[in-house]
């Protein structure tokens, strides 16, 4: 199926457009995708493809939101407002029992709390409400001893870290993000979509697997128990990720784990502002702060997925990009990252859920084209 690609690339970045065009042409259904790349604060790639998506379209970006949320945490650590090696319970006294009282903020934001969900799960209204999630998790028995291992807190990590932010600042994580990051840089990446922007919002679209992909899905077998809890699939009926992303309460409240609404321009702009000057403003993060949040904090195997050496502090490591790179993917296939070494900030979003879910395979091709372009400059 041929899909028109629109947008622009700067001189020297033509191969990125060619790769994006090849990916869009090879999709059996329109991907409704966007790609934006900044190099040392300047946008050099601004592309989109699909039947109902343009460069201004906003949609659910799932766990890409975690990058925005943990940029806020990094700023507060940099300010001295938060201390990584202080117990979470020192900020949040109710966070206690079953070993929770010994967990440090560093352990919390590297997915070591064991509080991946609650018994019985959350309904759609509840899982959009970070304050409610935090209150429920404070009394939840961890699924493993806090600090003894790590596993992806997919839909709750932003509520946990957000409660620490609220206890220290008196403001929600979403409010701090709006005041210190989104509004000053004019980013199209929201945690709580303003009514004024609703006209630009379009829903996430269901995955449409090919017959071969459907066979792979059918043969995959049951979801492991811990993974089901983390993705709120242990309730009846199991949570549908697309329904969550498109739910009005998700758009309204902007849960910090996976409820952001944005565009590739917004994602790339976030990471550009994190690592370098943008629009006359200094980088949000000092080099040493960025390096600390990027470095490996979770050696060994992840308890839910079996992946290894996965997380820095809140961010996913990006070993294919470089040792200083940090970012986060989203369930529909999107990805965002920054690489201080090359000055690259990358944002890729998909409205059409890609197979098999999680970071879409085409990101590897697009990232390789971006890095080739940098080397060629």
């Amino acid at each position: 199926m041929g899909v028109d690609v629109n947008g622009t690339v700067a001189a020297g970045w033509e191969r990125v457009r060619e790769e994006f065009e090849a990916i869009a042409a090879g999709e059996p259904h329109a991907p409704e995708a966007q790609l934006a790349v900044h190099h040392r604060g300047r946008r050099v790639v601004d592309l989109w493809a699909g039947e109902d998506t343009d460069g201004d379209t906003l949609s659910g970006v799932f766990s890409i939101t975690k990058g925005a949320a943990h940029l806020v945490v990094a700023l507060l650590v940099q300010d001295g407002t938060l201390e990584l090696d202080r117990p979470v319970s020192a900020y949040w006294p109710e966070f206690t029992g079953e070993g929770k009282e010994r967990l440090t903020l560093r352990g919390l934001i590297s997915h070591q709390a064991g509080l991946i969900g609650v018994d019985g799960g959350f309904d759609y209204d509840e899982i959009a409400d970070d304050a409610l999630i935090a209150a429920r998790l404070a009394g939840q028995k961890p699924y493993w001893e806090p600090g003894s291992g790590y596993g992806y807190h997919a839909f709750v990590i932003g509520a946990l870290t957000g409660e620490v932010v609220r206890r220290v600042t008196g403001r929600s994580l979403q409010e701090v993000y709006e005041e210190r990051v989104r509004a000053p840089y004019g980013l199209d990446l929201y945690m709580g979509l303003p009514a004024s922007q609703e006209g630009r919002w379009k829903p996430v679209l269901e995955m449409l697997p090919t017959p071969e992909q459907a066979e792979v899905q059918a043969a995959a077998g049951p979801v492991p128990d811990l993974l089901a809890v983390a993705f709120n699939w242990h309730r009846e009926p199991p949570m549908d990720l697309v329904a969550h992303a498109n739910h009005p309460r998700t758009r309204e409240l902007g849960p910090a784990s996976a409820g952001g609404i944005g565009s590739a321009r917004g994602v790339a702009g976030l990471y550009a502002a994190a690592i370098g000057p943008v629009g006359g403003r200094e980088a949000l993060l000092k080099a040493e702060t960025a390096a600390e949040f990027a470095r490996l904090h979770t050696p060994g195997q992840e308890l839910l997925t079996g992946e290894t050496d996965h997380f820095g502090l809140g961010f996913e490591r990006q070993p294919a990009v470089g040792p200083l790179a940090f970012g986060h993917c989203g369930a529909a296939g999107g990805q965002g990252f920054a690489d201080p070494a090359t000055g690259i900030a990358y944002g890729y979003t998909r409205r059409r859920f890609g197979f098999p879910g999680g970071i879409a395979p085409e990101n590897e091709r697009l990232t390789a084209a971006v890095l080739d372009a940098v080397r060629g400059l």
Side-chain angles (χ1 to χ4, degrees), residues 92 129-131 133-134 137 155-164 255-257:
W92 179 5
D129 187 337
D130 280 352
I133 293 171
L137 288 171
F155 282 88
V156 301
I157 191 69
L160 290 166
T161 54
E163 186 63 17
V164 175
S257 297

Side-chain angles (χ1 to χ4, degrees), residues 125-179:
D125 284 329
E126 291 170 337
I127 208 163
D129 187 337
D130 280 352
L132 181 149
I133 293 171
R136 293 271 301 274
L137 288 171
Q140 170 70 38
K141 180 179 179 179
Y143 285 83
W144 62 84
E145 181 183 353
S148 66
Y150 75 100
Y152 189 35
H153 290 52
F155 282 88
V156 301
I157 191 69
L160 290 166
T161 54
E163 186 63 17
V164 175
V165 170
R166 187 179 73 81
R167 296 297 177 111
V168 172
T169 67
R171 310 281 282 168
S172 71
L173 189 153
Q174 287 83 352
E175 289 171 326
V176 178
Y177 169 72
E178 177 67 20
E179 292 166 2

Side-chain angles (χ1 to χ4, degrees), residues 194-269:
S196 62
Q197 302 301 315
E198 277 282 349
R200 298 169 59 200
W201 174 83
K202 292 182 180 177
V204 174
L205 303 173
E206 297 283 354
M207 182 192 303
L208 296 174
T210 64
E212 294 77 15
Q213 290 170 340
E215 286 184 17
V216 171
Q217 278 185 312
V223 175
D225 289 346
L226 287 180
L227 194 63
V229 173
F231 279 83
N232 208 38
W233 293 333
H234 63 312
R235 66 184 297 273
E236 288 298 333
M239 187 178 78
D240 179 271
L241 299 185
V242 172
H244 165 68
N246 293 335
H247 197 280
R249 288 289 280 173
T250 302
R251 297 205 303 282
E252 176 190 353
L253 297 178
S257 297
I261 305 292
S263 67
R265 290 172 182 168
V267 176

